[in-house]
Amino acid sequence: MRRAAAAATEPLGAGVRSPRPSRAFGRGLAALAAFALAAAGRPALAGESDRAGAAGTGGASPAAPPAGATLEGSAELSTYADTDNVTVITPTARAGMRDDAEGWRLGARYLVDVVSAASVDIVSTASSRWREVRHVAGVDGEYGPGDLRGAASASVSVEPDYLSLSGGLSPSWKIDDDHVTLAVAYALGHDTIGRADTPFSVFHRTLVRHQMAAGASFVLSPSSILWLGGDAVLERGDQSKPYRYVPMFDAATTERVPRGAHVALVNALRRDERPLEQLPTARDRYAVTGRWLHRSSWATLRLEERLYTDTWGQLATTTEGRYAMDLSERLTLAPDVRLHVQSAAGFWRRVPTVSETAAGVVIPTLRTGDRELGPLATVTVGADVRLALGPRVAATRMALVFRLVGIHTSFLDALFITSRSAVFSAVGFEGAFQ
Amino acid sequence: MTMRVAIALVLVCAGCTRVAPHQRSRLAHPSMTQTSSAGPGEQHVRAVQEGAVGGSLDATSGCGCN
């Protein structure tokens, strides 16, 4: 069971608000109250919001804030295909309204994941190709009458065997004459994990997530911003996959099961016992992130490093770099590269073994076949092209965005496969109407 | 721990220069956002394929696997 994608589509040119608290206060409070009761979307740290480049970092637009509200809309269609026979098609739509002069924003989004998989994990259990559709809906909003700004969001994800609800708040505070923005966030998630074709009333598990984050952005110079932050996620509940069976081996056969062992070899050497996956029922995740952005006269360099650890014993480092170049007034090209390396969870065993005692066969209490809990390294290289269909500053602004990404993962200690290559592509449209 | 964080913040702030509002046009450029360049589809791919993720503050989902 996995974490889902965050949805944050950068809007067309965000001006900086010049709040008029007396007029905006009531509307903002009403908006926040509505979100607290209804809610969805990605409650990014307020300092991380799509306005953060200007407002969250204490920046100031060279232009006056636009008068009146702006309607925004975007749509994206993305596809994913990999060498492990998994394909995903994801259409996404987002709509919203904002008033930068009064300092508020409201938004809603909806996406559908259509997954088709015949991966080696499925083949190894003699199952046929598997298809599933996931629906995600969310709302989010922000309001900031001055240096203090608040954001709220909530979302729901529904699929035949999984229901996830999440909601959160994320205030931020600008200090030191807008040179520093402090931000905190909290979100509560409640997942119901079931089995396909089985009502939740017959079988389900519950997973609760408390997600906390805190950070600060610093204006280092007229062209540089630094973000330092940390986040913690406390997960409680059994998130073992109810479909994943783990092959067991005798200790004597360990040497005969190499990395990437073929399904046929595994089936020939494994024991008859094939228990379901069993993971620990609590997991605490911690990460720290540093991000540096620098803007030259025609390009923006973005460098990011994230360090991760958790109570399952996994360590990880993720390094990203992106260079967005303004090739013309309307055309932007942004290549990027990403490297992710992680160690195995403490209970990870490529070849899990049983022990035989006088009382019978003893199966390991904790066991998994999820290779994403093993050691791996992923290299991602991509680029996006953004073509504005009109002037950057206009009452009606539209843009097309294209993205193409190549992903290669090396599984350093896993059964069945040693690597996976994938291609991700997306085409999107963004519009803003004032 | 608190002291170390405070010292780190002081050191960072010490490296900052005072930037007047009229000097912030580059900071206000849309590309200077903290938001990830990855869209919802791509972020979902990462979330599914990497165990060492978390903190997306969003609704989660099944694994898209067996």
Side-chain angles (χ1 to χ4, degrees), chain A residues 294-380:
Chain A
H294 178 79
R295 177 71 189 173
S296 67
S297 59
W298 68 288
T300 300
L301 174 64
R302 173 192 174 112
L303 300 175
E304 178 173 328
E305 174 64 30
R306 180 175 187 263
L307 301 174
Y308 170 95
T309 184
D310 67 29
T311 53
W312 288 7
Q314 276 199 301
L315 301 171
T317 169
T318 306
T319 307
E320 296 186 61
R322 185 171 191 263
Y323 194 60
M325 299 170 284
D326 296 338
L327 300 183
S328 72
E329 179 67 25
R330 297 185 181 184
L331 184 63
T332 301
L333 171 64
D336 58 82
V337 62
R338 180 176 186 271
L339 174 64
H340 174 84
V341 180
Q342 69 180 45
S343 66
F347 52 87
W348 169 261
R349 299 288 182 275
R350 172 168 52 86
V351 186
T353 57
V354 302
S355 55
E356 296 197 48
T357 67
V361 175
V362 177
I363 293 172
T365 304
L366 300 176
R367 51 196 182 263
T368 181
D370 184 355
R371 66 178 66 86
E372 276 73 34
L373 290 176
L376 61 81
T378 298
V379 177
T380 303

Side-chain angles (χ1 to χ4, degrees), chain A residues 2-6 8 10 41 43 48 53 58 60 80 109 113 121 134 155 157 159 164 176-179 191 209 211 218-220 227 233 243-244 285 291 293 295 300 302 306 308 316 322 338 342 372 403 420 424, chain B residues 9 12-13 15-19 21 23-37 39-66:
Chain A
R2 305 293 183 177
R3 284 72 37 200
E10 184 179 327
E48 282 190 312
Y80 168 90
R109 69 186 172 98
D113 267 338
D121 302 294
R134 180 177 71 112
S155 59
S157 173
E159 54 196 296
S164 178
D176 191 24
D177 194 24
D178 293 357
H179 283 77
D191 296 0
R209 291 170 288 114
Q211 308 184 56
F218 304 89
V219 174
L220 301 182
W227 165 268
V233 184
Y243 308 109
R244 175 165 283 145
R285 305 166 179 267
R291 185 182 303 122
L293 298 105
R295 177 71 189 173
T300 300
R302 173 192 174 112
R306 180 175 187 263
Y308 170 95
R322 185 171 191 263
R338 180 176 186 271
Q342 69 180 45
E372 276 73 34
R403 180 157 177 77
R420 175 182 58 212
F424 175 90
Chain B
L9 290 176
V12 170
C13 290
C16 305
T17 57
R18 308 307 295 180
V19 181
Q23 296 177 308
R24 298 183 183 182
S25 59
R26 289 186 176 179
L27 300 178
H29 191 275
S31 64
M32 292 289 279
T33 177
Q34 303 283 347
T35 304
S36 171
S37 60
E42 188 175 355
Q43 293 200 35
H44 189 210
V45 169
R46 292 177 184 172
V48 167
Q49 297 190 343
E50 296 172 1
V53 297
S56 69
L57 304 178
D58 203 356
T60 59
S61 72
C63 59
C65 58
N66 66 328

Side-chain angles (χ1 to χ4, degrees), chain A residues 213-239:
Chain A
S217 66
F218 304 89
V219 174
L220 301 182
S221 73
S223 56
S224 298
I225 298 169
L226 176 67
W227 165 268
L228 297 174
D231 61 79
V233 184
L234 311 181
E235 299 173 343
R236 296 293 180 270
D238 189 353
Q239 48 192 304

Side-chain angles (χ1 to χ4, degrees), chain A residues 221-283:
Chain A
S221 73
S223 56
S224 298
I225 298 169
L226 176 67
W227 165 268
L228 297 174
D231 61 79
V233 184
L234 311 181
E235 299 173 343
R236 296 293 180 270
D238 189 353
Q239 48 192 304
S240 308
K241 297 161 186 69
Y243 308 109
R244 175 165 283 145
Y245 293 90
V246 182
M248 290 286 142
F249 299 86
D250 290 315
T253 62
T254 302
E255 298 298 323
R256 298 164 58 192
V257 186
R259 168 182 173 238
H262 191 273
V263 172
L265 178 62
V266 169
N267 284 335
L269 295 178
R270 72 175 175 85
R271 291 177 59 97
D272 291 338
E273 296 89 354
R274 203 172 200 194
L276 280 168
E277 178 182 68
Q278 183 58 61
L279 302 173
T281 54
R283 188 180 197 182

Side-chain angles (χ1 to χ4, degrees), chain A residues 4-164:
Chain A
T9 304
E10 184 179 327
L12 290 163
V16 168
R17 67 190 182 283
S18 175
R20 286 174 284 178
S22 58
R23 292 182 55 191
F25 189 69
R27 294 167 69 174
L29 274 185
L32 284 181
F35 283 122
L37 293 174
R42 182 198 182 204
L45 287 174
E48 282 190 312
S49 73
D50 50 25
R51 301 164 52 85
T57 58
S61 168
T70 299
L71 286 172
E72 297 176 330
S74 65
E76 179 187 281
L77 176 64
S78 65
T79 62
Y80 168 90
D82 68 26
T83 53
D84 196 24
N85 294 308
V86 175
T87 61
V88 184
I89 299 174
T90 308
T92 306
R94 181 177 178 84
M97 180 179 289
R98 68 192 306 146
D99 189 326
D100 291 334
E102 297 196 356
W104 58 267
R105 178 184 63 81
L106 301 173
R109 69 186 172 98
Y110 174 72
L111 73 80
V112 179
D113 267 338
V114 182
V115 182
S116 176
S119 67
V120 67
D121 302 294
I122 295 172
V123 172
S124 70
T125 57
S127 300
S128 58
R129 177 172 282 274
W130 164 93
R131 291 180 179 82
E132 191 166 84
V133 178
R134 180 177 71 112
H135 302 267
V136 181
V139 295
D140 57 275
E142 290 182 55
Y143 177 65
D147 291 339
L148 183 62
R149 187 167 186 82
S153 68
S155 59
V156 57
S157 173
V158 180
E159 54 196 296
D161 57 355
Y162 206 106
L163 172 65
S164 178

